[in-house]
């Protein structure tokens, strides 16, 4: 799963590494920022190319009103297609799909697990997440633990943020980790309200349709890990 971070807004795919071609929040407006998105896309393609049984999911919803009703996931898929799947089109394109409703990093993971079940009829044996290196603890520990996915079958591929944004990114990440440590499912307080703001077009989220075995996990809201049965050992 490649976690989306922005929406591509340019009509010219030849400008994919230009910051003004993406809808960026103020904290994202750094030289080289767009290239980090492209690197995530390339990394996801490379990983899937090495595993013929893998499925590639670009995850991220229509999170920015000013960007219009375009999803992060579709943006990443379109960029991958423009880049010719970095030379891996024959191997990867037919296995690359989208999850277009996630509004935060926890939903990137949970919704992608449900989308995988929706697409394949089963749940993933292994999960690899592609995002920034400084988010590894959030995904590999907090989010993975929240869905109780086995640590031995969870992998993380992190790439660096732009050098001039690293210090601010680390400070921001520390705050978000603290929030998720107190509210692992992002269902209360500031994390919940942030999700509401990232749904400007009021999309109806289809999940847990397509993954009925984890419906209770979707409904759960608590400070401790979900205690019910799950379809992965």
């Amino acid at each position: 799963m490649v976690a989306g971070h922005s929406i591509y807004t340019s009509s010219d795919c030849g400008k994919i590494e230009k910051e003004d071609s993406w809808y960026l929040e103020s904290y994202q407006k750094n030289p080289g920022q767009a290239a980090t998105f492209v690197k995530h896309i390339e990394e996801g393609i490379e990983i899937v190319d090495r595993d013929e049984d893998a499925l590639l999911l670009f995850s991220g919803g229509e999170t920015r009103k000013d960007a219009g009703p375009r999803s992060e996931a579709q943006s990443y898929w379109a960029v991958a297609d423009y880049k010719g799947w970095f030379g891996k089109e024959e191997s990867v394109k037919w296995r690359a799909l989208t999850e277009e409703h996630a509004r935060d990093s926890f939903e990137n993971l949970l919704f992608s697990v449900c989308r995988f079940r929706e697409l394949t009829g089963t749940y993933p044996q292994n999960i690899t997440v592609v995002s920034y290196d400084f988010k590894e603890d959030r995904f590999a520990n907090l989010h993975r633990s929240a869905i109780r996915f086995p640590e031995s079958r969870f992998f993380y591929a992190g790439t660096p943020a732009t050098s001039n944004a690293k210090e601010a990114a680390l400070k921001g990440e520390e705050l978000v980790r603290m929030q998720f440590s107190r509210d692992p499912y992002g269902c209360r307080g500031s994390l919940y309200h942030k999700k509401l703001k990232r749904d400007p077009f009021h999309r109806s989220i289809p999940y847990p349709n397509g993954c009925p075995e984890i419906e209770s996990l979707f409904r759960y809201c608590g400070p401790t890990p979900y205690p019910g049965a799950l379809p992965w050992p």
Side-chain angles (χ1 to χ4, degrees):
M1 182 270 286
V2 176
H5 293 283
S6 186
I7 296 168
Y8 192 77
T9 57
S10 175
S11 59
D12 179 6
C13 277
K15 298 171 61 181
I16 59 175
E17 295 190 10
K18 302 292 185 181
E19 276 65 52
D20 60 2
S21 295
W22 296 80
Y23 184 85
L24 302 178
E25 299 290 352
S26 57
Y27 65 87
Q28 294 178 309
K29 294 179 179 179
N30 306 295
Q33 185 77 33
T36 67
F37 306 148
V38 179
K39 181 62 179 174
H40 290 159
I41 296 166
E42 182 178 10
E43 185 72 15
I45 291 169
E46 292 286 346
I47 291 169
V48 170
D49 179 61
R50 295 194 295 266
D51 183 355
E52 63 181 15
D53 294 322
L55 187 72
L56 174 60
L57 285 177
F58 296 115
S59 172
E62 297 172 0
T63 55
R64 305 293 190 267
K65 184 176 182 180
D66 290 345
R70 304 180 182 190
S71 71
E72 295 171 356
Q74 283 286 352
S75 296
Y76 280 38
W77 197 98
V79 168
D81 201 45
Y82 174 79
K83 295 291 279 187
W85 302 88
F86 295 91
K88 308 293 194 304
E89 179 173 355
E90 185 174 341
S91 166
V92 175
K93 183 176 181 179
W94 67 276
R95 292 185 285 147
L97 297 125
T98 59
E99 183 293 301
E100 299 186 52
H101 297 278
R103 300 163 294 179
D104 64 15
S105 55
F106 176 66
E107 289 188 345
N108 284 139
L109 179 59
L110 179 62
F111 288 7
S112 291
V113 169
C114 187
R115 182 76 172 122
F116 187 97
R117 165 68 172 83
E118 190 174 51
L119 289 163
T120 68
T122 187
Y123 289 94
Q125 290 295 310
N126 302 289
I127 295 174
T128 299
V129 172
V130 178
S131 187
Y132 291 109
D133 52 9
F134 63 85
K135 293 189 177 186
E136 181 170 2
D137 183 60
R138 190 202 306 191
F139 274 104
N141 293 317
L142 295 176
H143 296 341
R144 180 195 58 77
S145 295
I147 69 169
R148 293 185 12 235
F149 197 83
E151 185 176 5
S152 62
R153 295 194 275 120
F154 189 95
F155 306 93
Y156 193 86
T159 67
T162 58
S163 57
N164 59 338
K166 191 168 185 178
E167 184 176 348
L170 290 174
K171 287 182 179 179
E173 180 61 17
E174 183 178 1
L175 173 62
V176 174
R177 280 203 311 270
M178 185 181 302
Q179 292 172 328
F180 271 113
S181 67
R182 296 171 178 169
D183 180 16
Y185 299 89
C187 54
R188 297 189 299 256
S190 58
L191 290 175
Y192 175 71
H193 288 100
K194 185 187 294 185
K195 283 196 291 192
L196 294 182
K197 290 179 181 178
R198 288 180 175 172
D199 184 23
F201 301 104
H202 304 285
R203 291 295 187 187
S204 296
I205 294 173
Y207 318 118
N209 293 338
C211 55
E213 299 85 356
I214 57 173
E215 180 176 357
S216 295
L217 175 60
F218 272 81
R219 309 299 182 206
Y220 181 73
C221 179
T224 57
Y226 168 72
L230 290 168
W232 41 85

